Amino acid sequence: MSAEYNFREVEQKWRNFWDENQTYKTEIDHSKPKYYVLDMFPYPSGAGLHVGHPLGYIASDIISRYRRLKGFNVLHPMGFDSFGLPAEQYAIQTGQHPAITTEENIATYIRQLKQIGFSYDWSREVRTSDAKFYKWTQWIFMQLFKHYYDKDADKALPISGLVTQFSKLGNADINAACDEDTPIFTAEDWNNMSGHEQQELLLKYRLTFPDESVVNWCPALGTVLANDEVKDGVSERGGYPVEQKKMKQWAMRITAYANRLIDGLEEVDWSDAIKEQQRNWIGRSQGASVRFKVAPETVTEGAPAYIEVFTTRVDTIFGVSFMVIAPEHEYVPFLTTEAQKAEVEEYVNWAKSRSELDRVSEVKKVSGAFTGSYVINPFNDEKVPIFLADYVLAGYGTGAVMGVPSGDQRDWNFATHFGLPIIPILDAQKDIEKQADNTKEGKYINSGIINGMEYKEATATLTKWLEERGLGKGKTQFRLRNAVFSRQRYWGEPVPVYFKEGLPYLIDEADLPLELPAINKYLPTETGEPPLGRATGWKYKDKYEYELSTMPGWAGSSWYWYRYMDSQNEKEFASQEAINYWQAVDLYIGGSEHATGHLLYSRFWNKFLKDLGLVKEEEFAKKLINQGMIQGRSNFVYRVKSSVGEGKKPVFVSAGLKDQHEVTPLHVDVNIVNNDVLDIEAFKAWRSDFAEAEFILEAGDKYVCGVEVEKMSKSKYNVVNPDVLVDRVGADTLRLYEMFLGPLEQAKPWNTNGIDGSFRFIKKVWRLFYDEQGNWKVKDEKATKDELKVLHTAIKKIEDDLERYSFNTVVSTLMICVNDLSSLKCSKKEILEQLVVLMSSYTPHLSEELWALLGHEAGTVSKASFPKFEPSYLVEANFEYPISINGKVRTNISFAVDTPSSDIEAGVLANEIVQKWLDGKQPKKVIVVPKRIVNIVL
């Protein structure tokens, strides 16, 4: 064997071994405790992985390997979230079917993932775009359509039971999640309805239903976009303008689960930041719904009788000086007077270009338009002007807000901007010092209704006053809205629905999966229908039109962890045996950017499946870790501005000299930069327009690049391909280095230059087993106490750190352990064999090779047991006492730790050095502090 570690040969050997022997294939095994480790599965982009992507995967793989060593039966699968917009956009540009692009991208990902040595059970791989998978996504959709949410039972129940109740009792006593405008009807009313009318009314209760809602519409992409796909009013992909538009969309009644979604956060070990994001997104608040009568003198025919608002502070209603409604509100045309029509139309068109995020987040920016109409404050009969403002959203609450400028900063900004009155009110929470008696909660003197009352009593009194007059009611409001479940795209799951007389019906379950049909173009039709409108002869039973929108990207990702449990099952999404055994995900690792998207929708679907008795757990993931982003380390070259222009040779000046010139910084490919020094010839070859470039160098011989830490991105040329590093220093080195960068949850900059330290460590480990001539030097000799102490110190620290997911500190511990063993010239099999097991979670290829060389040719280190910590090896046999004479330490003397104090005193006084300092004097006092110090007082 070579003295140098041949990582390329060893790593390829063990990757082949794992594949051929299906080393990580997992079956149900009731003799072992289970542990389910899951990564948020990736979308397979054409660019493949960069070094930032594997960070979470390496961490989850380390825990998977560690849990196996601890005796767990570990499920650690991988798959692909393979429906999505990028593949469709590529299909639009090239005409190539998205399935072909997706397949090619997945092949690249699998190659790269296997190359890094992940212990995935590839026999369980899933792809959301595979009809065998999305058959069950469609099936779950069908169950949602067949159920409603019963608030008394606090769970989903079959819609068939609701029909029975309607036919016998009507709906007056039904306490269910339903549309706000659901009418009250008797059993007689129901039974007299036509079948069409009954089905139309049931849509107001179903957990998934067609709904007209305001969406982010991107004309250039021809599709609706989710909020997280829109940045600064344009699409994240392509940068196309996005407008707010009312469209008929499928919706999911996630709002029915709002309380359970908030309360369930107490059951999971997720970060406080993620929990708080979800709580804020759901936005549970207690308050009152208030009806403001519309003043009739200025409105047009068709205007509402009143505008309803929700407020958490009904006690401030005496300070209302204006009403604001959303620009896209359905009442706008009827509330706009002729004099204000032009201004309102201009404002409505402007607001369409604004994303929801921009509209609700820009607190200081004020915009709006007066409709010309008024409402009446129910408490004091004051006329209140109605304005439009883009900070109010039609889809949230009633799409209307009462403006109280003396109690709210945004309202104050708005009132000040438009010259509206600011009516002073006494706020029991904010203006206690103004109250006459200065009591804890204050007392109100706004109105005769609540004169002298404290805050809670005033709120209850006003709410009761409204309810008695039919002008409002107490209400729990949620910021959460029903989830839009449609995309006007081709590359997504078809919705298993057909339409008859304008109403949706489910296809037969026997007809699942409803597969995507072939089409000739991937654009919307000329008449504005989604791409599926191009399918020829695509009709249910050859006569009914299918739903032409497809499901959103979050559909398949809202339940995929169950499919991993039983991925080949053709009869159900997973067997009850598999679900009962694997239950919930024990550790889920992925990005925090999914807090209010995937993670929220997944919790919703999981609770629904639990209601149906199909799964056992209320929450799908017990523990969640959000890995931080690995940031790119960008390099820059500096072009002298005077060298820009037609016919001029580009001139670049080194970073240390750039202040002597007027320059333009340009990103440069980090792969042609080494330790910030540019490879000039590679740079010339990189871009043809720089082939004749000239360079002003530092110290006459090198071009030094500028440096900046930024997001890793192709546009910044700072993407580092893991393939290059695996070829250069090996997968084990990459794994070690990524973990060594810092705590998993924190963002950290990438610096390829630092990876060499991890590579040197790998080689140092190898030298514990082979000498410089390549001779095997491991011996079957008894380990020394010092060697055992080093090993067991590492065992304890590594076990403690992995139990608390401190991945970077484990690398430090391994390095210290190897350094100490090297210093002790340790070559004992008893020690090194356990070191190999300790390292195997981080460096699986190297560990497998050394494990085999240590005599385990027939097995794999993944089947070993984690070393058992023995505290006795850390207990010191002797203690070295500092000997203090009159307050100064003069020497140190070692005694066995169990030596009696009297013997320690005698030994100290007999010591030659102590005798010298005593100089024949008899000590006044000798104080022995066991295992601390000996003090001699003369």
Side-chain angles (χ1 to χ4, degrees):
M1 181 68 70
S2 169
E4 290 299 316
Y5 175 52
N6 188 337
F7 65 87
R8 291 189 186 90
E9 180 182 303
V10 168
E11 292 188 351
Q12 188 58 57
K13 168 186 171 182
W14 288 103
R15 282 195 290 271
N16 292 342
F17 176 90
W18 296 329
D19 268 351
E20 291 165 7
N21 293 277
Q22 293 188 295
T23 302
Y24 304 115
K25 186 172 182 180
T26 309
E27 304 289 353
I28 290 173
D29 183 351
H30 293 284
S31 68
K32 293 181 178 181
K34 70 92 185 180
Y35 198 83
Y36 189 172
V37 184
L38 184 63
D39 297 301
M40 287 187 189
F41 61 172
Y43 173 78
S45 71
L49 297 174
H50 63 61
V51 292
H53 293 131
L55 181 69
Y57 304 157
I58 294 170
S60 69
D61 193 61
I62 287 168
I63 293 298
S64 297
R65 292 177 179 278
Y66 168 68
R67 291 292 178 201
R68 289 190 192 98
L69 296 174
K70 295 291 282 185
F72 286 85
N73 187 30
V74 176
L75 177 58
H76 187 38
M78 176 50 78
F80 300 95
D81 195 6
S82 48
F83 273 131
L85 189 56
E88 180 151 344
Q89 287 302 110
Y90 187 75
I92 291 170
Q93 294 161 13
T94 65
Q96 178 172 281
H97 197 287
I100 298 172
T101 310
T102 301
E103 182 65 36
E104 291 171 350
N105 295 346
I106 287 176
T108 298
Y109 267 62
I110 290 176
R111 176 188 61 76
Q112 290 184 300
L113 291 168
K114 287 187 173 181
Q115 187 174 251
I116 302 174
F118 296 126
S119 59
Y120 294 128
D121 179 356
W122 285 106
S123 71
R124 295 175 181 267
E125 179 201 340
V126 301
R127 304 176 183 188
T128 57
S129 58
D130 183 346
K132 291 179 181 177
F133 179 92
Y134 71 68
K135 167 184 178 178
W136 299 107
T137 308
Q138 292 172 334
W139 182 84
I140 294 170
F141 172 91
M142 294 172 78
Q143 307 317 305
L144 285 155
F145 188 81
K146 292 177 183 178
H147 286 77
Y148 77 103
Y149 198 88
D150 188 294
K151 291 183 179 180
D152 292 332
D154 203 19
K155 63 185 292 188
L157 294 175
I159 207 92
S160 56
L162 195 62
V163 171
T164 301
Q165 292 183 69
F166 287 170
S167 65
K168 294 179 179 179
L169 303 168
N171 74 340
D173 295 325
I174 299 294
N175 186 17
C178 58
D179 292 353
E180 289 278 348
D181 62 352
T182 303
I184 300 297
F185 55 85
T186 64
E188 184 180 4
D189 294 334
W190 171 263
N191 293 323
N192 287 333
M193 291 181 192
S194 67
H196 185 278
E197 289 171 328
Q198 289 178 345
Q199 289 302 316
E200 197 169 32
L201 200 148
L202 286 174
L203 289 175
K204 295 182 177 293
Y205 288 89
R206 295 186 188 276
L207 285 174
T208 185
F209 56 97
D211 184 38
E212 191 172 55
S213 57
V214 178
V215 295
N216 300 312
W217 172 250
C218 180
L221 295 176
T223 188
V224 169
L225 299 176
N227 286 335
D228 57 4
E229 294 174 312
V230 181
K231 304 293 181 188
D232 300 321
V234 298
S235 63
E236 189 174 37
R237 182 170 183 83
Y240 301 111
V242 175
E243 63 184 54
Q244 302 296 295
K245 183 178 180 181
K246 269 202 168 185
M247 293 182 67
K248 200 79 169 177
Q249 302 284 313
W250 279 92
M252 290 274 175
R253 209 179 295 277
I254 188 174
T255 48
Y257 285 82
N259 277 314
R260 282 168 66 183
L261 287 168
I262 283 185
D263 296 341
L265 292 170
E266 301 303 319
E267 301 175 22
V268 292
D269 183 8
W270 293 14
S271 73
D272 290 339
I274 290 287
K275 288 183 178 182
E276 196 59 26
Q277 279 183 272
Q278 291 208 356
R279 288 190 187 101
N280 291 337
W281 190 262
I282 297 166
R284 182 167 62 191
S285 52
Q286 199 71 35
S289 178
V290 185
R291 291 180 173 181
F292 285 74
K293 182 181 177 182
V294 175
E297 58 266 29
T298 54
V299 299
T300 61
E301 186 178 351
Y306 58 83
I307 294 176
E308 191 166 348
V309 301
F310 172 80
T311 176
T312 59
R313 297 298 308 277
V314 68
D315 55 291
T316 67
I317 200 164
F318 301 99
V320 172
S321 62
F322 63 95
M323 173 80 70
V324 182
I325 64 173
E328 63 276 9
H329 200 292
E330 61 182 328
Y331 293 160
V332 170
F334 308 110
L335 295 172
T336 303
T337 62
E338 194 62 34
Q340 296 299 119
K341 190 172 183 181
E343 181 185 343
V344 165
E345 287 181 351
E346 182 181 358
Y347 186 75
V348 168
N349 289 330
W350 174 80
K352 284 181 180 178
S353 66
R354 307 261 292 150
S355 73
E356 283 192 11
L357 183 62
D358 291 338
R359 288 171 60 174
V360 299
S361 62
E362 293 178 356
V363 178
K364 294 182 180 179
K365 189 173 182 179
V366 178
S367 69
F370 178 44
T371 63
S373 297
Y374 295 82
V375 289
I376 308 297
N377 188 323
F379 284 100
N380 56 21
D381 294 330
E382 293 288 335
K383 288 178 68 174
V384 176
I386 306 170
F387 279 77
L388 307 186
D390 73 334
Y391 70 82
V392 181
L393 305 174
Y396 173 56
T398 63
V401 173
M402 65 184 204
V404 186
S406 60
D408 180 88
Q409 183 63 50
R410 178 170 250 167
D411 290 349
W412 188 90
N413 293 344
F414 193 90
T416 303
H417 182 82
F418 286 99
L420 298 168
I422 298 174
I423 303 169
I425 58 169
L426 291 181
D427 183 326
Q429 289 186 336
K430 297 177 183 175
D431 295 325
I432 291 174
E433 69 278 3
K434 295 179 183 177
Q435 306 297 337
D437 59 357
N438 202 27
T439 57
K440 182 180 178 184
E441 288 188 321
K443 294 179 185 279
Y444 285 88
I445 55 171
N446 302 86
S447 156
I449 301 174
I450 54 173
N451 254 3
M453 291 183 182
E454 294 183 353
Y455 168 69
K456 290 180 182 176
E457 186 185 0
T459 301
T461 299
L462 291 174
T463 304
K464 183 181 179 183
W465 189 92
L466 289 166
E467 290 175 340
E468 288 173 347
R469 290 158 179 78
L471 296 173
K473 59 183 178 180
K475 186 178 181 182
T476 300
Q477 177 92 331
F478 295 91
R479 183 176 291 112
L480 182 68
R481 287 171 286 162
N482 288 326
V484 175
F485 198 72
S486 297
R487 298 292 184 267
Q488 285 61 48
R489 302 173 185 166
Y490 171 75
W491 193 233
E493 298 92 337
V495 180
V497 161
Y498 68 93
F499 287 89
K500 183 169 66 175
E501 297 177 1
L503 290 181
Y505 294 85
L506 297 175
I507 67 173
D508 292 338
E509 284 189 18
D511 294 326
L512 293 178
L514 175 60
E515 297 193 40
L516 281 169
I519 57 176
N520 58 352
K521 280 185 186 176
Y522 302 99
L523 288 166
T525 67
E526 286 69 20
T527 54
E529 294 174 318
L532 284 178
R534 296 180 177 276
T536 304
W538 194 55
K539 292 186 177 182
Y540 188 58
K541 299 189 183 298
D542 295 324
K543 59 179 179 178
Y544 299 115
E545 297 288 343
Y546 281 117
E547 169 62 58
L548 298 182
S549 293
T550 51
M551 296 185 191
W554 57 267
S557 65
S558 292
W559 72 279
Y560 72 108
W561 56 92
Y562 287 117
R563 192 58 179 171
Y564 281 136
M565 296 178 184
D566 195 10
S567 62
Q568 306 306 316
N569 195 326
E570 296 183 3
K571 296 181 179 179
E572 50 195 337
F573 70 92
S575 70
Q576 283 301 300
E577 181 190 15
I579 291 170
N580 289 341
Y581 180 75
W582 294 112
Q583 297 183 21
V585 174
D586 294 285
L587 175 63
Y588 197 23
I589 297 183
S592 60
E593 67 273 14
H594 299 292
T596 55
H598 159 62
L599 290 171
L600 194 61
Y601 299 140
S602 295
R603 295 182 61 226
F604 159 42
W605 276 35
N606 199 86
K607 290 175 187 296
F608 171 69
L609 293 173
K610 170 77 161 43
D611 287 351
L612 271 57
L614 297 171
V615 306
K616 304 301 175 187
E617 300 285 344
E618 179 82 7
E619 297 290 341
F620 80 96
K622 295 177 181 177
K623 181 169 184 64
L624 170 71
I625 298 178
N626 301 120
Q627 82 272 15
M629 180 185 294
I630 286 188
Q631 298 164 313
R633 191 173 189 273
S634 300
N635 282 120
F636 296 87
V637 291
Y638 301 94
R639 184 170 183 174
V640 178
K641 286 188 176 181
S642 60
S643 72
V644 177
E646 191 173 347
K648 293 183 179 180
K649 279 188 178 182
V651 178
F652 295 91
V653 60
S654 188
L657 305 173
K658 66 180 175 64
D659 292 342
Q660 301 172 19
H661 304 265
E662 193 176 356
V663 299
T664 301
L666 302 172
H667 282 90
V668 64
D669 187 350
V670 295
N671 294 294
I672 58 175
V673 179
N674 185 25
N675 281 321
D676 299 330
V677 176
L678 180 69
D679 182 334
I680 291 174
E681 293 307 314
F683 177 74
K684 289 180 177 181
W686 176 56
R687 281 180 52 173
S688 58
D689 52 331
F690 295 157
E692 302 299 321
E694 295 178 355
F695 298 84
I696 303 173
L697 307 178
E698 291 186 39
D701 64 349
K702 61 183 179 181
Y703 186 98
V704 179
C705 294
V707 177
E708 190 174 323
V709 174
E710 303 179 287
K711 181 178 178 181
M712 201 169 278
S713 161
K714 285 190 295 183
S715 65
K716 301 182 192 308
Y717 302 107
N718 62 358
V719 171
V720 179
N721 189 328
D723 295 1
V724 174
L725 295 177
V726 169
D727 181 65
R728 196 185 108 198
V729 293
D732 286 343
T733 297
L734 175 65
R735 291 167 64 105
L736 272 173
Y737 182 60
E738 293 221 3
M739 291 297 97
F740 192 49
L741 285 172
L744 180 65
E745 297 89 343
Q746 293 181 10
K748 50 200 79 81
W750 178 267
N751 184 358
T752 300
N753 301 329
I755 203 168
D756 291 334
S758 296
F759 190 38
R760 286 193 298 272
F761 170 69
I762 294 279
K763 293 191 282 189
K764 191 166 191 175
V765 172
W766 187 256
R767 286 197 294 274
L768 286 172
F769 296 81
Y770 284 94
D771 63 23
E772 293 179 0
Q773 289 72 44
N775 299 312
W776 180 255
K777 62 178 186 178
V778 180
K779 301 169 186 172
D780 281 320
E781 295 178 358
K782 187 169 178 57
T784 66
K785 289 182 179 179
D786 286 342
E787 291 168 341
L788 287 166
K789 180 182 177 184
V790 168
L791 174 67
H792 284 268
T793 298
I795 292 171
K796 185 176 191 319
K797 185 72 165 65
I798 290 169
E799 186 169 7
D800 289 349
D801 286 350
L802 286 178
E803 288 293 339
R804 59 190 181 89
Y805 310 103
S806 179
F807 298 96
N808 59 311
T809 53
V810 171
V811 181
S812 301
T813 299
L814 288 170
M815 289 178 171
I816 292 167
C817 179
V818 169
N819 284 341
D820 289 347
L821 292 177
S822 298
S823 298
L824 293 169
K825 295 184 169 41
C826 177
S827 58
K828 314 293 174 49
K829 181 178 180 181
E830 179 184 356
I831 301 293
L832 298 183
E833 194 168 55
Q834 293 189 69
L835 173 65
V836 168
V837 179
L838 288 177
M839 293 190 60
S840 64
S841 297
Y842 282 75
T843 58
H845 307 87
L846 171 67
S847 300
E848 289 281 25
E849 181 69 9
L850 293 173
W851 188 250
L853 290 167
L854 285 165
H856 304 280
E857 294 92 344
T860 162
V861 73
S862 64
K863 305 294 184 187
S865 295
F866 193 83
K868 189 175 186 305
F869 169 61
E870 294 291 348
S872 59
Y873 292 126
L874 269 56
V875 175
E876 297 288 349
N878 296 302
F879 183 80
E880 194 167 76
Y881 283 85
I883 311 302
S884 172
I885 301 175
N886 280 352
K888 291 186 178 181
V889 175
R890 300 300 185 180
T891 187
N892 294 286
I893 304 174
S894 183
F895 292 94
V897 292
D898 56 354
T899 304
S901 294
S902 58
D903 291 349
I904 292 173
E905 180 180 339
V908 168
L909 293 177
N911 182 271
E912 291 181 5
I913 297 174
V914 174
Q915 287 284 339
K916 174 188 170 186
W917 284 102
L918 291 177
D919 193 24
K921 296 175 184 175
Q922 192 66 25
K924 291 179 182 176
K925 192 181 293 185
V926 178
I927 304 167
V928 177
V929 183
K931 295 176 70 174
R932 291 284 300 279
I933 195 170
V934 177
N935 286 307
I936 299 175
V937 181
L938 294 177

